[in-house]
Amino acid sequence: MVSLPNAANRERILRVILAKEDLAADVDLPVVANMTDGYSGSDLKNLCVTAVYCPIREILEKEKKEKALAVAENRSPVIYNGDDVRSLNMSDFKYAQEQMVV
């Protein structure tokens, strides 16, 4: 049986999982580690995946609204790309935690 990681190890795991992600200045990984007491490494991965999708979901919603507006105005819609995706912020992690069932 493997025990659950403590706060310091959860922070290390989060740093590895999020190494290639663009994090906003308000992201405090020690705080995220502390708010995930009882999470396994797999739970932390799921939390991060859910958080990463938040900015992408926002762009998709924005794109959907823009497309509808463009159709109504009989013009070409604005095209969004990866540069339009905002950085991950603490609210993304809080939202992801609310979605988790641990």
Side-chain angles (χ1 to χ4, degrees):
M1 184 169 146
V2 177
S3 61
L4 295 172
N6 62 22
N9 286 331
R10 287 192 305 274
E11 181 182 347
R12 286 186 194 105
I13 293 167
L14 289 166
R15 289 189 188 284
V16 169
I17 294 169
L18 298 167
K20 295 181 180 180
E21 298 299 330
D22 183 23
L23 303 177
D26 75 331
V27 173
D28 189 344
L29 291 180
V31 169
V32 176
N34 284 325
M35 69 186 221
T36 55
D37 187 38
Y39 281 42
S40 67
S42 178
D43 294 332
L44 293 170
K45 175 69 174 176
N46 290 335
L47 176 89
C48 292
V49 167
T50 302
V52 166
Y53 280 123
C54 289
I56 295 167
R57 235 182 270 115
E58 286 175 11
I59 285 290
L60 291 174
E61 299 252 340
K62 194 175 179 181
E63 194 172 70
K64 184 178 176 181
K65 289 177 185 175
E66 168 59 25
K67 185 177 180 182
L69 184 60
V71 166
E73 295 175 351
N74 198 27
R75 62 172 173 82
S76 297
V78 174
I79 307 284
Y80 296 99
N81 62 43
D83 295 333
D84 297 313
V85 178
R86 66 167 174 78
S87 302
L88 283 175
N89 59 41
M90 279 302 283
S91 65
D92 298 324
F93 290 100
K94 290 175 184 173
Y95 169 83
Q97 185 182 34
E98 292 169 3
Q99 304 308 306
M100 297 280 300
V101 178
V102 179

